[in-house]
Amino acid sequence: MTPFALALLAALPEAQAQSAGRKGLDPVFVTATRSPQALSQVLADATVITRADIERQAFGGLADLLRNQACFEMVRNGNPGANTSLFVRGAETRHTKVLIDGVPYDSQRTDGASWQSLPLAQIERIEIVRGAASAIYGSDAIGGVVQIFTRKGEGAPLLELGVGGGNNGLAKLDASISGLNGIVDYALSVASERSDGFNTRPVIGDPGYSPDIDGYRSRSVSLRLGAQLNKAHRVDLIGMDSHINSQYDASAKPKVDDRNINAARALRAAWTAQWSPALDTSFSVGESTDNYETKPSVYQTETRTRSIALSAGLKLGTGQLNGSLERREDKLVNTSVTGGKADRHQDAVGLGYLWSAGPLSLQAHARHDSDSEFGSANTGTLAAGYQLSPQWRLLSSYGTAFKAPSLFQRFSDNGKPDLQPEKGKNAEIGLHFTQGVHGASLTAYRNLIDNLIVYVRGRGACKSSLGCYDNIGQARLQGLSLKGNTAMAGIRLSGSLDLQAPKDVTEGRANYGKVLARRSKTHGTLRAETDVAGWALGAQLLASGKRTDNLDTGLKIGGYATLDLDAQYSLNQQLRLQLKLDNAFDRKYETARGYASSPFQFFVGLRYSPTL
């Protein structure tokens, strides 16, 4: 990244509330505490992504959208259907808790969410919390939380149709209908996307792979039904199903069509009740599944996670007391696991208190998790905010977190049954500025992760002689994150700059003090938007510094910068034209050594919203 780019990014950081913030709104945010709050009052480093932001992405998956957020870095082995990792503040994929309408979603095979399985078309809104949150959500939330909310019906019936295509054989079709009829609201959405793709293994003369074009096909559907039984009681039924079939290179044999197939599903039933102006409760049951298989090589695995949760909120003067009881059941079906399957359960009780008076806000959360495999874990978070002036607000927090080892890490041929949870200690302090259309925030954080689970080759303490997982690592994740927004001369500007040092600090190891693999020391974004003659125009710059692909070999990956362009034009009240250029200058770059990233891609689409 050039000094000029760094200076520009530092001057114009990213808006926390994005589109909502630019319009002067203060959206409601629930993920930080499980209680509705105005985003401006949240005591965590938080972001809301709206449906308008999602539609601008136009195509691809959730990871393509999130990589443009502060503190996020994406690594992908090829096209949008290939294995994808997202690092939040330098933390591993497994250290980010992912929720779909409140239902935990992850893979006990890869130990973390299968980001490539999550579609954009079914998402109405995304909430992001950076930092430790296990005191609220239990295992996994060491680096942060990403909660996905599927589409919801409200008001008069609304029909939306979208169609579009572009180069590389890209084609996309989606349709949705939503609305409110009496006490019942409904939303049904379906989508399909395909692309011929590109050669994801462009290494010349590599004897291990046969060069070819690798594409993908995806389809998804979501359904939400809700009933407001009366002023105090509401029930919801939510379901989402997604399937992506993508090509990849695993063989040097010509005409071998290697494919990986990912499927994700989430179901939830919920009942919320307002028993009095001071007391509310929520009860929900949910299930998520993650399926993965490869063809023609035979490999198949499935993760199923079931959850039951009861929560309550009680207002006490200027404060609020929150309590929760939860049970989570995980099951992994995998041929590499002893007996072909493994399961476990976790029971948890949590308590939180939110208090605010004048310029001061305080929060305290505590949680006890009991696991059927490794015992118990206790976590807590303390957070404070102080309004220094109408424009300036100071935030600080300290929290502990844990990540239970996956069932694959414990019970596969490469696993160790006595693995213990990874444990995190996160401290951060932030300063926020808001005045009209101008906003900025600076957050400094330090997250120390102990008992880090590392795959050690040749260790031989498990069934496989090749190596196994062990609690022998320690990582220190620290950095500065600068975000904000402004407007001048009819142009809205937003951006982010992250300066980080996620390092291996395991005493006695050869990699002590080295920056963790595939993470850059510097990365950032810059976005500009304007309205001209009925057109809504946007440009997005994404830049990342160089990284080390593998700490043991020391092989490097070069830094890069890409430019995306987007435009929308309303042909009439019901019909909208959409244009998108990704990687406009066709920059050749890698996020994983030896795997090409998406080349220049254009998209032309129409969105039709007829009046019903």
Side-chain angles (χ1 to χ4, degrees):
M1 190 185 298
T2 66
F4 172 77
L6 289 177
L8 190 59
L9 289 168
L12 300 165
E14 175 205 35
Q16 278 196 347
Q18 299 200 14
S19 295
R22 288 191 295 268
K23 296 176 182 177
L25 304 177
D26 195 1
V28 174
F29 196 94
V30 300
T31 304
T33 62
R34 287 188 169 178
S35 298
Q37 291 179 287
L39 181 61
S40 64
Q41 298 304 307
V42 172
L43 301 185
D45 186 2
T47 299
V48 171
I49 301 176
T50 68
R51 182 63 197 171
D53 301 313
I54 295 168
E55 287 190 358
R56 273 197 299 269
Q57 182 61 40
F59 55 87
L62 177 61
D64 297 281
L65 178 69
L66 292 179
R67 71 181 303 197
N68 292 315
Q69 302 303 310
C71 301
F72 280 75
E73 293 181 277
M74 184 185 77
V75 173
R76 175 183 284 161
N77 296 342
N79 61 49
N83 290 332
T84 303
S85 297
L86 283 174
F87 303 129
V88 180
R89 289 183 174 179
E92 298 280 355
T93 284
R94 66 179 184 269
H95 296 149
T96 297
K97 183 87 169 188
V98 176
L99 303 166
I100 302 175
D101 289 312
V103 178
Y105 168 71
D106 76 344
S107 169
Q108 290 294 313
R109 169 189 63 91
T110 59
D111 199 14
S114 297
W115 295 101
Q116 64 273 13
S117 301
L118 299 173
L120 285 176
Q122 312 309 329
I123 302 174
E124 180 67 28
R125 170 188 175 91
I126 302 166
E127 294 185 356
I128 299 168
V129 174
R130 303 169 183 86
S134 285
I136 304 170
Y137 292 103
S139 177
D140 307 349
I142 288 180
V145 179
V146 173
Q147 179 153 208
I148 299 162
F149 297 91
T150 54
R151 308 188 72 172
K152 180 182 179 181
E154 55 186 8
L158 175 65
L159 175 66
E160 290 188 66
L161 302 172
V163 62
N167 63 322
N168 301 320
L170 176 64
K172 180 184 175 183
L173 178 67
D174 66 87
S176 68
I177 185 168
S178 61
L180 176 66
N181 185 4
I183 66 170
V184 177
D185 56 85
Y186 57 90
L188 172 65
S189 178
V190 297
S192 177
E193 183 173 319
R194 70 171 303 277
S195 173
D196 293 337
F198 56 96
N199 182 17
T200 61
R201 293 285 299 183
V203 181
I204 299 175
D206 188 338
Y209 300 93
S210 177
D212 61 357
I213 302 301
D214 303 303
Y216 67 93
R217 303 191 306 268
S218 68
R219 64 178 186 270
S220 59
V221 59
S222 66
L223 173 66
R224 178 192 285 258
L225 296 173
Q228 191 70 45
L229 304 177
N230 53 44
K231 291 183 179 181
H233 296 273
R234 175 180 173 83
V235 293
D236 286 280
L237 181 63
I238 304 165
M240 188 200 78
D241 185 270
S242 175
H243 182 278
I244 186 165
N245 185 325
S246 69
Q247 296 171 303
Y248 72 104
D249 291 320
S251 173
K253 297 178 181 180
K255 299 182 180 179
V256 173
D257 187 15
D258 296 303
R259 291 181 176 271
N260 55 33
I261 302 167
N262 289 267
R265 182 180 296 113
L267 300 170
R268 182 176 187 253
W271 166 41
T272 55
Q274 189 76 45
W275 301 101
S276 71
L279 176 64
D280 63 84
T281 62
S282 175
F283 176 75
S284 67
V285 293
E287 177 179 288
S288 68
T289 58
D290 177 85
N291 289 276
Y292 176 80
E293 64 176 304
T294 60
K295 295 180 178 180
S297 61
V298 179
Y299 179 77
Q300 189 168 7
T301 182
E302 177 182 283
T303 298
R304 185 185 68 198
T305 300
R306 290 178 174 172
S307 57
I308 304 173
L310 172 64
S311 62
L314 178 64
K315 294 181 180 178
L316 301 170
T318 59
Q320 177 166 320
L321 184 66
N322 293 332
S324 63
L325 296 172
E326 293 184 53
R327 181 179 176 88
R328 170 174 168 166
E329 300 173 352
D330 292 309
K331 181 178 181 179
L332 173 66
V333 178
N334 188 292
T335 55
S336 297
V337 171
T338 302
K341 62 182 180 180
D343 56 59
R344 67 158 175 233
H345 64 266
Q346 295 174 357
D347 296 313
V349 56
L351 194 64
Y353 184 67
L354 288 64
W355 178 86
S356 182
L360 180 63
S361 297
L362 299 174
Q363 292 178 11
H365 297 275
R367 178 174 167 128
H368 174 79
D369 285 84
S370 178
D371 190 282
S372 61
E373 292 296 332
F374 61 76
S376 62
N378 298 311
T379 52
T381 298
L382 293 173
Y386 191 82
Q387 197 73 39
L388 301 171
S389 72
Q391 295 80 30
W392 293 94
R393 192 175 191 222
L394 182 66
L395 305 177
S396 64
S397 66
Y398 176 81
T400 59
F402 79 102
K403 169 69 180 78
S406 71
L407 291 171
F408 187 86
Q409 289 173 336
R410 287 175 65 90
F411 301 116
S412 71
D413 292 343
N414 303 106
K416 291 187 65 179
D418 60 348
L419 279 180
Q420 295 301 301
E422 299 170 299
K423 297 182 179 180
K425 298 177 182 179
N426 182 79
E428 59 187 81
I429 185 168
L431 184 63
H432 291 215
F433 171 81
T434 305
Q435 186 174 37
V437 297
H438 311 293
S441 69
L442 177 65
T443 302
Y445 60 87
R446 179 186 173 96
N447 194 352
L448 186 65
I449 304 176
D450 292 316
N451 282 352
L452 191 69
I453 297 175
V454 178
Y455 183 78
V456 185
R457 296 187 181 276
R459 192 169 181 83
C462 48
K463 292 183 179 180
S464 174
S465 61
L466 298 177
C468 61
Y469 297 97
D470 208 348
N471 293 106
I472 63 169
Q474 186 180 56
R476 185 180 64 225
L477 316 176
Q478 60 185 16
L480 294 171
S481 182
L482 182 62
K483 310 185 294 289
N485 62 283
T486 189
M488 58 182 71
I491 299 176
R492 300 178 296 274
L493 297 168
S494 58
S496 66
L497 175 64
D498 285 289
L499 307 175
Q500 61 177 9
K503 292 184 177 182
D504 184 336
V505 290
T506 308
E507 294 287 349
R509 294 192 68 193
N511 295 323
Y512 179 85
K514 293 183 180 180
V515 174
L516 296 173
R518 297 179 176 178
R519 272 146 281 198
S520 65
K521 293 182 180 180
T522 306
H523 58 94
T525 65
L526 175 64
R527 180 168 177 83
E529 297 178 356
T530 190
D531 301 312
V532 178
W535 286 88
L537 306 176
Q540 177 95 17
L541 174 68
L542 173 68
S544 177
K546 63 182 180 180
R547 290 139 292 143
T548 301
D549 184 67
N550 186 299
L551 295 188
D552 295 329
T553 63
L555 293 175
K556 302 292 184 181
I557 305 175
Y560 64 90
T562 61
L563 178 67
D564 299 340
L565 304 173
D566 59 86
Q568 297 187 53
Y569 182 77
S570 296
L571 300 171
N572 55 45
Q573 290 184 346
Q574 299 177 340
L575 188 61
R576 179 159 42 96
L577 174 66
Q578 187 176 21
L579 305 174
K580 182 78 185 293
L581 292 179
D582 269 10
N583 196 1
F585 295 110
D586 198 24
R587 176 67 188 270
K588 304 295 189 297
Y589 69 99
E590 299 173 331
T591 59
R593 188 175 176 85
Y595 291 90
S597 294
S598 298
F600 167 80
Q601 176 72 62
F602 74 80
F603 175 84
V604 180
L606 289 172
R607 299 204 65 82
Y608 181 51
S609 303
T611 302
L612 299 180

